[in-house]
Amino acid sequence: MLLYFDTCCLNRPHDDQRQQRIFQETEAIISLLDGVIHGSWDMAASEVLLYEVNQISDITRRTAILGLLKSERPSKIRENSPAIHCRNSEPGQCSDSDGLQTF
C-alpha cells in the first residue's frame, strides 16, 4: 500500500500531546510510519510536501521531518502533473497517468 502523509501528519508527533485527540492522532500516525519503516507499506511524497516541510520555522521539527523523508526515501515523489497544470480546465478534461482528474 502506498501512503501519503501531508505536512500536518508529519508535524503531529511534535505537537503538544496533552490533548487526548492529538495524542490519539499521533499514535495512529506513528503506527503507520512504523509500517513504512518496517517495509509493510511504501510512502509517497510530493514537491509540495517537500516545499511545505522546508517552510517549517521550527528548525528542530523541520530537521526531524526532513530526516524521516530522507531516511525512508519515499517510493514515489509526485512532480507537477498535467492534472495540476490544467486545474482551471473544464471538469473531466484533464487527467494524468496515475488516474488523477480535475473535478
Side-chain angles (χ1 to χ4, degrees), residues 50-103:
L50 297 174
Y51 172 80
E52 289 176 347
V53 170
N54 278 302
Q55 300 307 305
I56 296 171
S57 59
D58 183 324
I59 193 160
T60 304
R61 281 185 186 220
R62 184 176 63 233
T63 302
I65 294 169
L66 286 172
L68 173 70
L69 291 172
K70 287 178 183 172
S71 69
E72 291 312 312
R73 288 183 173 58
S75 62
K76 186 167 192 178
I77 296 185
R78 266 210 59 93
E79 298 179 7
N80 290 339
S81 69
I84 293 170
H85 289 295
C86 63
R87 67 177 179 239
N88 293 325
S89 302
E90 291 297 316
Q93 295 298 311
C94 293
S95 66
D96 69 4
S97 62
D98 290 333
L100 300 176
Q101 298 183 12
T102 58
F103 291 99

Side-chain angles (χ1 to χ4, degrees), residues 3 5 25-37 41:
L3 302 175
F5 298 90
E25 289 173 358
T26 298
E27 290 296 307
I29 292 164
I30 288 173
S31 177
L32 292 170
L33 286 171
D34 189 54
V36 170
I37 290 167
W41 301 302

